[in-house]
């Protein structure tokens, strides 16, 4: 009986872990490459999922070699050379505060996305990447 309970517990734990991995990594590498090609990018290389976000090296429509990031849930592309957004640092701080983050530091616009460090609701220090248009948290990884 104890062994059956232990096996069920192990199966449940593995299922939950697999679900979490899928949630974090909703797109596959092939889907990322397709999204980039559809977005007009060429010479796609070094596609990797790191710190909760997809990253790749590409050539843009002008032939410039740039880095891009992709939202793993939506496939939205964030080129490093994207210009300023309508959101400012105060807007990002307000959105993070409303989302329950505390001790918000190092808020900056870099490589086409907003970045910040903050404590999540559990008090864990996190590195955050935010969408430059709506301030939504795209990725959260341990600092």
């Amino acid at each position: 009986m104890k062994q059956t309970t232990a096996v069920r517990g192990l199966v449940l734990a593995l299922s939950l872990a697999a679900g979490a991995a899928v949630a974090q990594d909703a797109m596959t590498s092939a889907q990322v490459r397709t999204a980039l090609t559809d977005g007009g990018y060429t010479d796609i290389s070094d596609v990797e999922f790191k710190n909760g976000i997809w990253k790749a090296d590409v050539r843009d429509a002008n032939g410039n070699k740039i880095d891009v990031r992709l939202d793993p849930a939506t496939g939205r592309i964030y080129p490093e050379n994207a210009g300023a957004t309508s959101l400012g640092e105060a807007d990002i701080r307000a959105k993070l505060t409303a989302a329950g983050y505390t001790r918000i530091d190092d808020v900056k616009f870099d490589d086409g996305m907003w970045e910040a460090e903050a404590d999540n609701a559990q008090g864990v220090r996190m590195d955050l990447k935010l969408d430059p248009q709506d301030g939504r948290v795209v990725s959260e990884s341990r600092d």
Side-chain angles (χ1 to χ4, degrees):
M1 187 82 166
K2 286 182 183 178
Q3 187 176 20
T4 303
T5 303
V7 169
R8 284 184 188 156
L10 178 60
V11 168
L12 177 61
L14 291 172
S15 296
L16 290 174
V22 169
Q24 285 181 335
D25 187 3
M27 295 179 75
T28 65
S29 177
Q31 290 169 321
V32 168
R33 287 178 179 280
T34 298
L36 290 169
T37 300
D38 291 349
Y41 296 99
T42 60
D43 195 19
I44 301 163
S45 62
D46 296 331
V47 176
E48 67 176 334
F49 187 77
K50 186 175 179 184
N51 298 327
I53 197 162
W54 282 101
K55 298 179 181 182
D57 294 334
V58 299
R59 288 204 184 272
D60 65 14
N62 297 321
N64 298 317
K65 189 86 168 158
I66 62 169
D67 293 330
V68 294
R69 297 175 184 167
L70 286 88
D71 182 327
T74 67
R76 186 169 184 175
I77 301 168
Y78 306 100
E80 71 176 339
N81 58 357
T85 70
S86 59
L87 298 176
E89 180 180 340
D91 299 313
I92 296 300
R93 287 180 179 278
K95 288 186 178 285
L96 289 173
T97 299
Y101 292 94
T102 59
R103 289 191 338 124
I104 301 163
D105 296 312
D106 298 329
V107 178
K108 62 184 177 184
F109 186 76
D110 188 37
D111 290 337
M113 297 184 82
W114 281 100
E115 298 179 355
E117 290 180 14
D119 292 352
N120 66 13
Q122 293 74 38
V124 178
R125 194 73 175 159
M126 305 301 283
D127 283 326
L128 307 168
K129 304 278 190 266
L130 298 95
D131 186 285
Q133 301 304 315
D134 61 16
R136 176 180 48 84
V137 175
V138 174
S139 75
E140 180 182 64
S141 60
R142 280 189 170 233
D143 185 24

